[in-house]
Amino acid sequence: MLFKKDKKTKKTTSTKKATKPSKAVKKAKKIVDAPKVEKKKNIKTQMNTSSSDSKVYFGALGGMGDKIGCNLYLYGTRGEWIIVDMGIGFPTERMAGAEYVIPDSSFLRVIKDRVKAILLTHSHEDHYGAIPYLWQEVRCPIYGTAFALKMLENKLAENDLLGKVPMKKVSKDGAHFKLGAFDIEYFHFTHSIPQSNGIIIRTEQGNILHTGDWKFDPEPLMDKTSDMGTLKKLAKEGVLAVMCDSTNSLVNEHSRSEAEVVSELEKVVKGIKEGKVVITCFATNAVRIETVSKIATATGRKLVILGRSMETIIDIAKSEGYLKDLEYISAEDAYKLDDKKALYLCTGTQGEPRSVLTRVSANEYADLKLHHGDTVIFSSKIIPGNEESILAVQNNLSKMGVNVITTLDNPKIHASGHGSKPELEELYNLLKPQILIPVHGEAIHLFRNAKIGQECKIKNVQIIGNGDFIEIEDGKAPKVVEVIPTGEIIIDGTRHISATNDVFSARRKINYNGAVFASLTLNKSGLVGKPEVSSFGVFETDSTGMIKSAIVNEIKATIKNLSKKELQNDERIREITVASIRRVIRDLMDKKPPISVHIVHI
């Protein structure tokens, strides 16, 4: 056993002595860590370079038309810029082994001396999670509510940036302040996490609304209803442009109220007479945590929270005056209860590899074991791209005999935090903006949002993609004036590398075909001993001996035919060795794995 408990201190200690990195490792680490980001694109811009230029420029480096996440929006006027949100995205299967995706920040380096601030609309990672990786490009103050800044502090602490990033707290009841040529007003919008905001940006050209994530919920349960008074006041002032969340533009029904979810989930839980009951939701959905807490009380159960990220949200929410009455017990205490007396709430709605529910479904989570007759309720929606991982978890649970309930069985067990078509129509008909720019969504979401805007008689509706920057003037149609090279940067351990880096192609090949390795020891006369051949995921079977022998014999025959001059040419040796290995594997297995050859001369 690697770890043991020290009876006196109750701390976990290692039975092995920690070894310090060698000088060679330290030297290599400096080299690896130094170029944190691949070479930036060489960008030049003619936009917003003069303090006499009163036009407004808007563009996005992420969040527009590709996939959900990586939200990063820029507004410029009078030679100055502000950034709204700076979020992460999540890797696709093509980015094998990657942790996060962030927007390419090359353009930020061009304008870094002119960026006044980063404004956070709310505290979901797709809106603030890239700050630890990108803030050093601009080194400006960050504005957000107390809840958002506390969430950010956790991320900064993980990246040794706590105390180094200037943060300005915005009142949860709204705020009004100036940033250079920009007049900024925060106001409350209802969402699935507390203290979410829309931002009004007043400029010489007119008033712009950046919605952030929002919905109109008459019974939001945890936080206030959306600030309709401010929206009506804005409508009277006149609205030049709205940059509006498109996430739920495909949904034709009004988004469900959280109060309705409480009622429906309570019915479902009350109807379960046998076995454990587990509800899974997004860790950041503080409103849903409140909902499940109420259900536990109404059904006479003790709430059990599983997952460190969910506990973090609860701690921050409590520090801000939310979840005051929420009480929960540990998994250890839950073991003492009858199954009917516990209600488990855990992370893992999207099949995330290290989430609680994924580990439970693989029978790898010590604090919760599920069996035939237990029930798992998915109080969540499927984020596009996660279908396969979610289905894998649900299949594993079903194989255990667990009853799996999703929104396909009962749509009322989840409420989205994003406004759907009726709410978009209500917003547009109230504000009557001159211009609509759909933001935050995949291409289909942006186009549907644009169509809704056109149906609401908005005169100028403009769809743009990441890197497209438009020029906005009062009374004129917006037009694209520059296209800035952009893209995705992958957080891969300590490295920041391009999504097109060959390392991901190599990992995909290994994932599908395995890999073969050969080591050759040579002298002037040829091979010394026999080649060493091994593989990952190619011939680790009962036929290993036969395949390895065939490869070894083919290499020996190939090397034997080389001249003394060729035996000194490593490139030639490697080329023909790879070809010989490939021939054997093709003929015996019809596979094409990557092949690596290591050569030693003695």
Short mmCIF file of all heavy atoms in Angstrom, two decimals, residues 46-58 75-81 114 180-183 201-208 240 435 470-476 481:
data_model
loop_
_atom_site.label_atom_id
_atom_site.label_comp_id
_atom_site.label_asym_id
_atom_site.label_seq_id
_atom_site.Cartn_x
_atom_site.Cartn_y
_atom_site.Cartn_z
N GLN A 46 -5.62 47.83 -37.78
CA GLN A 46 -5.87 49.26 -37.99
C GLN A 46 -7.10 49.72 -37.21
O GLN A 46 -7.48 50.89 -37.24
CB GLN A 46 -6.10 49.53 -39.49
CG GLN A 46 -4.92 49.17 -40.37
CD GLN A 46 -3.68 49.95 -39.98
OE1 GLN A 46 -3.72 51.17 -39.78
NE2 GLN A 46 -2.56 49.24 -39.87
N MET A 47 -7.73 48.78 -36.47
CA MET A 47 -8.95 49.10 -35.72
C MET A 47 -8.64 49.90 -34.48
O MET A 47 -7.70 49.60 -33.75
CB MET A 47 -9.62 47.80 -35.24
CG MET A 47 -10.50 47.12 -36.22
SD MET A 47 -11.39 45.80 -35.36
CE MET A 47 -10.07 44.81 -34.73
N ASN A 48 -9.47 50.86 -34.20
CA ASN A 48 -9.52 51.52 -32.89
C ASN A 48 -8.13 51.91 -32.39
O ASN A 48 -7.78 51.68 -31.24
CB ASN A 48 -10.20 50.58 -31.89
CG ASN A 48 -10.56 51.30 -30.60
OD1 ASN A 48 -10.96 52.45 -30.61
ND2 ASN A 48 -10.40 50.61 -29.50
N THR A 49 -7.34 52.49 -33.26
CA THR A 49 -5.97 52.86 -32.87
C THR A 49 -5.85 54.32 -32.44
O THR A 49 -4.83 54.72 -31.92
CB THR A 49 -5.01 52.61 -34.05
OG1 THR A 49 -5.49 53.31 -35.21
CG2 THR A 49 -4.92 51.12 -34.36
N SER A 50 -6.92 55.10 -32.64
CA SER A 50 -6.85 56.53 -32.36
C SER A 50 -7.89 56.95 -31.33
O SER A 50 -9.04 56.49 -31.36
CB SER A 50 -7.06 57.33 -33.65
OG SER A 50 -7.21 58.71 -33.36
N SER A 51 -7.51 57.83 -30.43
CA SER A 51 -8.44 58.35 -29.42
C SER A 51 -9.51 59.25 -30.05
O SER A 51 -10.50 59.59 -29.41
CB SER A 51 -7.68 59.13 -28.35
OG SER A 51 -6.99 60.22 -28.94
N SER A 52 -9.33 59.62 -31.29
CA SER A 52 -10.31 60.46 -31.98
C SER A 52 -11.37 59.62 -32.72
O SER A 52 -12.32 60.17 -33.27
CB SER A 52 -9.62 61.38 -32.99
OG SER A 52 -8.97 60.61 -33.99
N ASP A 53 -11.21 58.30 -32.71
CA ASP A 53 -12.13 57.41 -33.41
C ASP A 53 -13.28 57.03 -32.47
O ASP A 53 -13.11 56.25 -31.53
CB ASP A 53 -11.38 56.16 -33.87
CG ASP A 53 -12.25 55.24 -34.72
OD1 ASP A 53 -13.43 55.55 -34.92
OD2 ASP A 53 -11.71 54.21 -35.19
N SER A 54 -14.47 57.58 -32.72
CA SER A 54 -15.61 57.35 -31.83
C SER A 54 -16.45 56.14 -32.24
O SER A 54 -17.42 55.80 -31.55
CB SER A 54 -16.50 58.59 -31.78
OG SER A 54 -17.14 58.79 -33.04
N LYS A 55 -16.13 55.50 -33.35
CA LYS A 55 -16.88 54.30 -33.75
C LYS A 55 -16.65 53.20 -32.71
O LYS A 55 -15.64 53.17 -32.01
CB LYS A 55 -16.42 53.83 -35.14
CG LYS A 55 -16.77 54.79 -36.27
CD LYS A 55 -16.49 54.20 -37.62
CE LYS A 55 -15.01 54.07 -37.90
NZ LYS A 55 -14.35 55.38 -38.08
N VAL A 56 -17.62 52.28 -32.62
CA VAL A 56 -17.50 51.15 -31.69
C VAL A 56 -17.13 49.90 -32.49
O VAL A 56 -17.72 49.62 -33.54
CB VAL A 56 -18.82 50.91 -30.94
CG1 VAL A 56 -18.73 49.65 -30.06
CG2 VAL A 56 -19.18 52.11 -30.08
N TYR A 57 -16.14 49.18 -31.98
CA TYR A 57 -15.71 47.94 -32.62
C TYR A 57 -16.06 46.77 -31.69
O TYR A 57 -15.87 46.84 -30.47
CB TYR A 57 -14.20 47.97 -32.88
CG TYR A 57 -13.79 49.08 -33.81
CD1 TYR A 57 -13.50 50.34 -33.32
CD2 TYR A 57 -13.72 48.87 -35.18
CE1 TYR A 57 -13.15 51.38 -34.17
CE2 TYR A 57 -13.37 49.89 -36.04
CZ TYR A 57 -13.08 51.15 -35.54
OH TYR A 57 -12.73 52.17 -36.38
N PHE A 58 -16.58 45.70 -32.28
CA PHE A 58 -16.94 44.52 -31.49
C PHE A 58 -16.48 43.26 -32.20
O PHE A 58 -16.62 43.13 -33.43
CB PHE A 58 -18.46 44.45 -31.28
CG PHE A 58 -18.89 43.14 -30.65
CD1 PHE A 58 -18.71 42.90 -29.31
CD2 PHE A 58 -19.47 42.15 -31.44
CE1 PHE A 58 -19.09 41.69 -28.73
CE2 PHE A 58 -19.87 40.94 -30.87
CZ PHE A 58 -19.67 40.71 -29.51
N TYR A 75 -14.87 44.95 -26.87
CA TYR A 75 -15.49 46.19 -27.34
C TYR A 75 -14.42 47.28 -27.35
O TYR A 75 -13.64 47.41 -26.38
CB TYR A 75 -16.61 46.63 -26.39
CG TYR A 75 -17.80 45.71 -26.36
CD1 TYR A 75 -17.82 44.60 -25.52
CD2 TYR A 75 -18.91 45.95 -27.17
CE1 TYR A 75 -18.92 43.75 -25.49
CE2 TYR A 75 -20.01 45.10 -27.13
CZ TYR A 75 -20.01 44.00 -26.30
OH TYR A 75 -21.09 43.16 -26.26
N GLY A 76 -14.36 48.04 -28.43
CA GLY A 76 -13.36 49.10 -28.53
C GLY A 76 -13.96 50.40 -29.01
O GLY A 76 -14.88 50.42 -29.84
N THR A 77 -13.44 51.50 -28.48
CA THR A 77 -13.78 52.84 -28.98
C THR A 77 -12.75 53.82 -28.43
O THR A 77 -12.14 53.58 -27.39
CB THR A 77 -15.21 53.26 -28.56
OG1 THR A 77 -15.58 54.44 -29.29
CG2 THR A 77 -15.31 53.58 -27.07
N ARG A 78 -12.53 54.91 -29.14
CA ARG A 78 -11.60 55.95 -28.71
C ARG A 78 -10.22 55.39 -28.35
O ARG A 78 -9.54 55.87 -27.44
CB ARG A 78 -12.16 56.73 -27.53
CG ARG A 78 -13.41 57.54 -27.83
CD ARG A 78 -13.08 58.76 -28.63
NE ARG A 78 -14.25 59.61 -28.89
CZ ARG A 78 -14.22 60.69 -29.67
NH1 ARG A 78 -13.08 61.06 -30.26
NH2 ARG A 78 -15.31 61.41 -29.87
N GLY A 79 -9.80 54.36 -29.07
CA GLY A 79 -8.47 53.79 -28.84
C GLY A 79 -8.37 52.89 -27.63
O GLY A 79 -7.29 52.41 -27.29
N GLU A 80 -9.50 52.64 -26.95
CA GLU A 80 -9.50 51.83 -25.73
C GLU A 80 -10.35 50.58 -25.93
O GLU A 80 -11.25 50.56 -26.77
CB GLU A 80 -10.03 52.63 -24.55
CG GLU A 80 -9.19 53.85 -24.22
CD GLU A 80 -9.83 54.75 -23.17
OE1 GLU A 80 -11.08 54.75 -23.07
OE2 GLU A 80 -9.08 55.42 -22.45
N TRP A 81 -10.07 49.53 -25.12
CA TRP A 81 -10.81 48.27 -25.22
C TRP A 81 -11.27 47.81 -23.83
O TRP A 81 -10.62 48.09 -22.82
CB TRP A 81 -9.93 47.17 -25.81
CG TRP A 81 -9.56 47.37 -27.24
CD1 TRP A 81 -8.48 48.05 -27.73
CD2 TRP A 81 -10.26 46.90 -28.39
NE1 TRP A 81 -8.46 48.03 -29.10
CE2 TRP A 81 -9.54 47.32 -29.54
CE3 TRP A 81 -11.42 46.15 -28.57
CZ2 TRP A 81 -9.95 47.01 -30.83
CZ3 TRP A 81 -11.84 45.85 -29.86
CH2 TRP A 81 -11.11 46.27 -30.97
N ARG A 114 -3.91 48.91 -24.10
CA ARG A 114 -5.13 49.73 -24.26
C ARG A 114 -6.37 49.07 -23.66
O ARG A 114 -7.46 49.57 -23.81
CB ARG A 114 -5.34 50.03 -25.74
CG ARG A 114 -4.22 50.88 -26.34
CD ARG A 114 -4.49 51.23 -27.78
NE ARG A 114 -4.20 50.14 -28.69
CZ ARG A 114 -4.95 49.79 -29.73
NH1 ARG A 114 -6.06 50.44 -29.97
NH2 ARG A 114 -4.61 48.80 -30.51
N GLY A 180 -12.69 54.67 -18.86
CA GLY A 180 -12.26 55.45 -20.02
C GLY A 180 -13.44 55.98 -20.80
O GLY A 180 -14.31 56.66 -20.26
N ALA A 181 -13.51 55.62 -22.07
CA ALA A 181 -14.59 56.10 -22.94
C ALA A 181 -15.89 55.30 -22.77
O ALA A 181 -16.89 55.61 -23.41
CB ALA A 181 -14.14 56.04 -24.39
N PHE A 182 -15.87 54.27 -21.93
CA PHE A 182 -17.04 53.41 -21.74
C PHE A 182 -17.76 53.77 -20.44
O PHE A 182 -17.13 53.96 -19.40
CB PHE A 182 -16.63 51.94 -21.67
CG PHE A 182 -15.95 51.43 -22.90
CD1 PHE A 182 -14.57 51.39 -23.00
CD2 PHE A 182 -16.70 50.97 -23.98
CE1 PHE A 182 -13.93 50.91 -24.12
CE2 PHE A 182 -16.07 50.49 -25.12
CZ PHE A 182 -14.68 50.46 -25.20
N ASP A 183 -19.09 53.82 -20.51
CA ASP A 183 -19.92 53.98 -19.33
C ASP A 183 -20.60 52.63 -19.09
O ASP A 183 -21.36 52.14 -19.93
CB ASP A 183 -20.96 55.08 -19.58
CG ASP A 183 -21.78 55.39 -18.34
OD1 ASP A 183 -22.59 54.54 -17.94
OD2 ASP A 183 -21.59 56.47 -17.76
N ILE A 201 -23.41 48.82 -21.94
CA ILE A 201 -22.20 49.56 -22.31
C ILE A 201 -22.65 50.80 -23.08
O ILE A 201 -23.11 50.71 -24.22
CB ILE A 201 -21.27 48.68 -23.18
CG1 ILE A 201 -20.91 47.38 -22.43
CG2 ILE A 201 -20.00 49.44 -23.56
CD1 ILE A 201 -20.27 46.33 -23.30
N ARG A 202 -22.54 51.95 -22.44
CA ARG A 202 -22.95 53.20 -23.07
C ARG A 202 -21.75 53.83 -23.76
O ARG A 202 -20.67 53.98 -23.16
CB ARG A 202 -23.55 54.15 -22.04
CG ARG A 202 -24.88 53.66 -21.47
CD ARG A 202 -25.47 54.63 -20.46
NE ARG A 202 -26.83 54.23 -20.06
CZ ARG A 202 -27.10 53.40 -19.06
NH1 ARG A 202 -26.11 52.89 -18.33
NH2 ARG A 202 -28.36 53.10 -18.78
N THR A 203 -21.93 54.17 -25.03
CA THR A 203 -20.86 54.77 -25.83
C THR A 203 -21.40 56.01 -26.53
O THR A 203 -22.61 56.29 -26.49
CB THR A 203 -20.35 53.78 -26.90
OG1 THR A 203 -21.37 53.61 -27.90
CG2 THR A 203 -20.03 52.41 -26.28
N GLU A 204 -20.53 56.73 -27.20
CA GLU A 204 -20.96 57.92 -27.95
C GLU A 204 -21.91 57.55 -29.08
O GLU A 204 -22.74 58.37 -29.50
CB GLU A 204 -19.75 58.66 -28.50
CG GLU A 204 -18.87 59.28 -27.42
CD GLU A 204 -17.62 59.91 -28.01
OE1 GLU A 204 -17.75 60.74 -28.94
OE2 GLU A 204 -16.52 59.57 -27.54
N GLN A 205 -21.79 56.33 -29.58
CA GLN A 205 -22.66 55.89 -30.68
C GLN A 205 -24.04 55.47 -30.19
O GLN A 205 -25.01 55.50 -30.94
CB GLN A 205 -22.01 54.73 -31.43
CG GLN A 205 -20.71 55.08 -32.12
CD GLN A 205 -20.88 56.16 -33.19
OE1 GLN A 205 -21.93 56.26 -33.84
NE2 GLN A 205 -19.86 56.98 -33.36
N GLY A 206 -24.12 55.03 -28.92
CA GLY A 206 -25.40 54.57 -28.38
C GLY A 206 -25.21 53.50 -27.32
O GLY A 206 -24.07 53.18 -26.93
N ASN A 207 -26.32 52.97 -26.85
CA ASN A 207 -26.30 51.98 -25.77
C ASN A 207 -26.26 50.56 -26.31
O ASN A 207 -27.02 50.20 -27.21
CB ASN A 207 -27.55 52.14 -24.90
CG ASN A 207 -27.65 53.51 -24.26
OD1 ASN A 207 -26.64 54.13 -23.94
ND2 ASN A 207 -28.88 53.99 -24.09
N ILE A 208 -25.38 49.77 -25.72
CA ILE A 208 -25.21 48.37 -26.13
C ILE A 208 -25.51 47.48 -24.91
O ILE A 208 -25.04 47.75 -23.81
CB ILE A 208 -23.78 48.10 -26.63
CG1 ILE A 208 -23.49 48.95 -27.89
CG2 ILE A 208 -23.57 46.62 -26.93
CD1 ILE A 208 -22.04 48.94 -28.31
N LEU A 240 -28.85 50.79 -29.18
CA LEU A 240 -28.14 50.68 -30.45
C LEU A 240 -27.99 49.21 -30.84
O LEU A 240 -28.29 48.83 -31.97
CB LEU A 240 -26.76 51.35 -30.34
CG LEU A 240 -25.82 51.19 -31.54
CD1 LEU A 240 -26.43 51.82 -32.79
CD2 LEU A 240 -24.46 51.80 -31.24
N ILE A 435 -29.68 47.00 -33.81
CA ILE A 435 -28.78 45.94 -34.27
C ILE A 435 -28.86 44.75 -33.31
O ILE A 435 -28.94 44.93 -32.09
CB ILE A 435 -27.32 46.45 -34.31
CG1 ILE A 435 -27.18 47.62 -35.29
CG2 ILE A 435 -26.34 45.33 -34.65
CD1 ILE A 435 -25.88 48.39 -35.14
N ILE A 470 -16.56 43.83 -36.13
CA ILE A 470 -17.48 44.72 -36.84
C ILE A 470 -17.34 46.14 -36.32
O ILE A 470 -16.88 46.39 -35.21
CB ILE A 470 -18.94 44.25 -36.70
CG1 ILE A 470 -19.36 44.23 -35.22
CG2 ILE A 470 -19.16 42.92 -37.36
CD1 ILE A 470 -20.84 43.98 -35.02
N GLU A 471 -17.74 47.06 -37.18
CA GLU A 471 -17.74 48.48 -36.86
C GLU A 471 -19.20 48.90 -36.68
O GLU A 471 -20.05 48.60 -37.52
CB GLU A 471 -17.11 49.24 -38.03
CG GLU A 471 -16.98 50.72 -37.85
CD GLU A 471 -16.34 51.32 -39.10
OE1 GLU A 471 -15.11 51.39 -39.16
OE2 GLU A 471 -17.11 51.71 -40.03
N ILE A 472 -19.49 49.57 -35.56
CA ILE A 472 -20.87 49.95 -35.24
C ILE A 472 -20.97 51.47 -35.14
O ILE A 472 -20.22 52.11 -34.39
CB ILE A 472 -21.33 49.32 -33.91
CG1 ILE A 472 -21.26 47.79 -33.98
CG2 ILE A 472 -22.75 49.77 -33.56
CD1 ILE A 472 -21.54 47.10 -32.66
N GLU A 473 -21.90 52.04 -35.91
CA GLU A 473 -22.19 53.48 -35.84
C GLU A 473 -23.69 53.68 -35.78
O GLU A 473 -24.46 52.93 -36.39
CB GLU A 473 -21.63 54.21 -37.05
CG GLU A 473 -20.13 54.36 -37.07
CD GLU A 473 -19.66 55.25 -38.20
OE1 GLU A 473 -19.60 56.49 -37.99
OE2 GLU A 473 -19.39 54.73 -39.30
N ASP A 474 -24.11 54.67 -35.04
CA ASP A 474 -25.52 54.98 -34.91
C ASP A 474 -26.14 55.24 -36.27
O ASP A 474 -25.62 56.04 -37.07
CB ASP A 474 -25.70 56.19 -33.99
CG ASP A 474 -27.16 56.50 -33.70
OD1 ASP A 474 -27.99 55.57 -33.82
OD2 ASP A 474 -27.47 57.64 -33.33
N GLY A 475 -27.25 54.56 -36.56
CA GLY A 475 -27.97 54.78 -37.81
C GLY A 475 -27.42 54.04 -39.01
O GLY A 475 -27.96 54.15 -40.10
N LYS A 476 -26.35 53.27 -38.82
CA LYS A 476 -25.75 52.54 -39.94
C LYS A 476 -25.77 51.04 -39.66
O LYS A 476 -25.75 50.60 -38.50
CB LYS A 476 -24.31 52.98 -40.16
CG LYS A 476 -24.16 54.42 -40.61
CD LYS A 476 -22.70 54.74 -40.89
CE LYS A 476 -22.53 56.18 -41.37
NZ LYS A 476 -21.11 56.51 -41.65
N VAL A 481 -15.00 44.86 -40.50
CA VAL A 481 -13.90 45.71 -40.97
C VAL A 481 -12.55 45.00 -40.91
O VAL A 481 -11.62 45.39 -41.62
CB VAL A 481 -13.82 47.02 -40.16
CG1 VAL A 481 -15.01 47.90 -40.47
CG2 VAL A 481 -13.75 46.77 -38.66
#
